[in-house]
């Protein structure tokens, strides 16, 4: 199993063409236009009929969700299982079609883009999945896995893909000689770093992270979250973070939306919202967080 220290990404890395250089940090402009704008998003699913002449059941996953994310900022979506969090992730990634509402990335309505333009738009939009074991193809080398988004875009040569894969690995604290290895040779935390490298390789402006650390040990969770934070500061990446873990959202996000039964019931800065929650559902989520009791 490969073992590495936890080095930070090189601030001079060419991962982003517009990234700061010479150790500079990305400074978000609070007046900038939204990178992602979601307006009145609705998603209802029609299920098979339970009775021959009965109506088809409808699952109302989302019922009019709106939010926006500015460049270099992070938004967390929190809620219990079944609240609609992962539905938002699939819709933002254009892996599903909303019943109504709009999703605009850099001013482009993703649902109205022709297929070729949507494929090109995906270079600005990547995803990190929950399971670092299931999201990596065990039959492929790390080089092939990390370069997979570039292969899908079909705009670069194999040599350039390998070079950019090495850059992406370096940015997440792994080495270029790891390119020839397979996922089983890495720990869970290192596999999630590989998944993050795969998301970075197209030089995206937004990464959708669906429970990115929930499958990892607590100590490894902190390393991955710190890495994501460093990458944001260095390259100006925005995150849409889907999580049930309030501590993770508090660590990484500038704003949080509390989702309940497909509706945003409360939103605000994490520290303010968690300290002064107004909606009963938010208070219920906070009350469910386990706390260590001192030994008498």
């Amino acid at each position: 199993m490969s073992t590495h220290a936890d080095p930070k990404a090189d601030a001079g890395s060419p991962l982003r063409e517009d990234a700061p250089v010479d150790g500079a940090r990305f400074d978000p402009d609070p007046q900038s236009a939204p990178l992602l704008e979601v307006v009145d998003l609705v998603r209802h699913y029609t299920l098979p009929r339970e009775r021959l002449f009965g109506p088809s059941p409808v699952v109302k996953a989302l019922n009019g969700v709106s939010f926006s994310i500015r460049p270099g900022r992070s938004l967390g979506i929190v809620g219990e299982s079944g609240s609609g969090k992962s539905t938002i992730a699939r819709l933002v990634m254009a892996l599903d079609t909303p019943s109504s509402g709009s999703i605009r990335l850099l001013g482009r309505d993703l649902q109205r883009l022709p297929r070729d333009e949507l494929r090109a738009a995906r270079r600005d939009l990547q995803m990190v999945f929950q399971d670092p074991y299931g999201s990596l193809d065990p039959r492929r080398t790390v080089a092939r896995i990390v370069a997979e988004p570039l292969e899908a875009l079909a705009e670069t040569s194999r040599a350039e893909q390998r070079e950019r894969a090495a850059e992406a690995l370096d940015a997440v604290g792994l080495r270029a000689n790891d390119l020839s290895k397979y996922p089983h040779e890495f720990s869970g935390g290192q596999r999630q770093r590989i998944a993050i490298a795969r998301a970075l390789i197209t030089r995206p402006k937004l990464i959708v992270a669906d429970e990115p650390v929930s499958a990892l040990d607590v100590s490894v969770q902190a390393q991955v979250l710190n890495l994501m934070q460093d990458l944001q500061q260095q390259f100006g990446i925005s995150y849409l973070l889907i999580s049930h873990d309030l501590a993770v959202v508090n660590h990484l996000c500038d704003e949080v939306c509390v989702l309940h039964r497909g509706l945003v019931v409360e939103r605000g800065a994490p520290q303010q919202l968690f300290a002064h929650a107004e909606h009963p559902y938010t208070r219920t989520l906070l009350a469910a967080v386990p706390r260590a009791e001192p030994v008498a």
Side-chain angles (χ1 to χ4, degrees):
M1 180 179 292
S2 174
T3 56
H4 301 291
D6 185 26
K8 305 304 181 187
D10 180 3
S13 169
L15 266 176
R16 281 283 300 275
E17 295 169 348
D18 55 348
V21 295
D22 299 328
R25 293 285 181 172
F26 181 85
D27 187 15
D29 179 1
Q31 304 302 319
S32 60
L35 170 65
L36 177 71
E37 192 168 17
V38 173
V39 179
D40 293 331
L41 197 61
V42 173
R43 185 62 173 111
H44 294 171
Y45 297 95
T46 302
L47 302 181
R49 287 189 180 95
E50 296 176 352
R51 293 175 297 176
L52 181 60
F53 298 105
S56 298
V58 175
V59 175
K60 298 180 179 180
L62 296 176
N63 296 296
V65 171
S66 299
F67 60 84
S68 62
I69 306 176
R70 297 188 182 277
R73 310 292 284 180
S74 296
L75 173 71
I77 306 288
V78 301
E80 62 189 349
S81 296
S83 60
K85 304 187 304 296
S86 293
T87 300
I88 289 177
R90 290 195 300 271
L91 291 170
V92 169
M93 288 298 299
L95 300 175
D96 192 7
T97 302
S99 302
S100 64
S102 65
I103 303 167
R104 293 183 177 272
L105 180 69
L106 294 168
R108 301 167 296 184
D109 189 334
L110 294 179
Q111 302 302 322
R112 295 181 180 273
L113 291 179
R115 180 175 297 180
D116 289 346
E117 292 183 29
L118 178 59
R119 183 173 61 182
R122 291 191 187 279
R123 69 166 56 89
D124 294 320
L125 182 66
Q126 291 293 318
M127 189 166 185
V128 175
F129 296 92
Q130 175 179 358
D131 183 6
Y133 298 91
S135 65
L136 307 181
D137 188 339
R139 299 166 298 181
R140 285 191 164 201
T141 64
V142 169
R144 292 290 304 278
I145 290 170
V146 174
E148 186 177 0
L150 293 181
E151 289 184 23
L153 290 171
E155 297 175 349
T156 53
S157 66
R158 280 291 178 86
E160 184 178 352
Q161 289 173 14
R162 188 174 182 87
E163 180 181 352
R164 293 213 359 214
E167 293 171 2
L169 283 188
D170 179 68
V172 300
L174 297 177
R175 301 189 180 101
N177 61 11
D178 291 325
L179 288 170
S180 301
K181 297 178 181 178
Y182 289 84
H184 72 268
E185 300 180 67
F186 297 87
S187 68
Q190 290 167 341
R191 291 187 197 194
Q192 198 64 308
R193 287 172 181 263
I194 293 169
I196 294 171
R198 176 173 59 187
L200 287 175
I201 198 167
T202 62
R203 301 163 180 164
K205 292 179 171 60
L206 175 69
I207 290 180
V208 178
D210 190 359
E211 302 277 9
V213 297
S214 64
L216 304 176
D217 293 338
V218 173
S219 60
V220 180
Q221 287 183 11
Q223 295 175 15
V224 172
L225 289 173
N226 288 336
L227 170 65
M228 293 174 66
Q229 201 166 45
D230 288 341
L231 293 170
Q232 181 178 54
Q233 292 173 344
Q234 291 163 8
F235 304 125
I237 298 167
S238 297
Y239 292 116
L240 174 60
L241 178 65
I242 309 296
S243 182
H244 69 280
D245 190 327
L246 302 184
V248 169
V249 171
N250 188 50
H251 183 90
L252 193 63
C253 295
D254 305 293
E255 186 179 13
V256 58
C257 291
V258 180
L259 197 66
H260 180 49
R261 295 182 178 176
L263 289 169
V264 174
V265 297
E266 195 164 5
R267 72 179 70 205
Q271 297 85 350
Q272 178 68 22
L273 190 147
F274 296 158
H276 305 286
E278 296 181 0
H279 195 277
Y281 178 71
T282 308
R283 293 198 292 267
T284 299
L285 286 180
L286 292 169
V289 175
R291 292 176 173 82
E293 297 291 340
V295 179

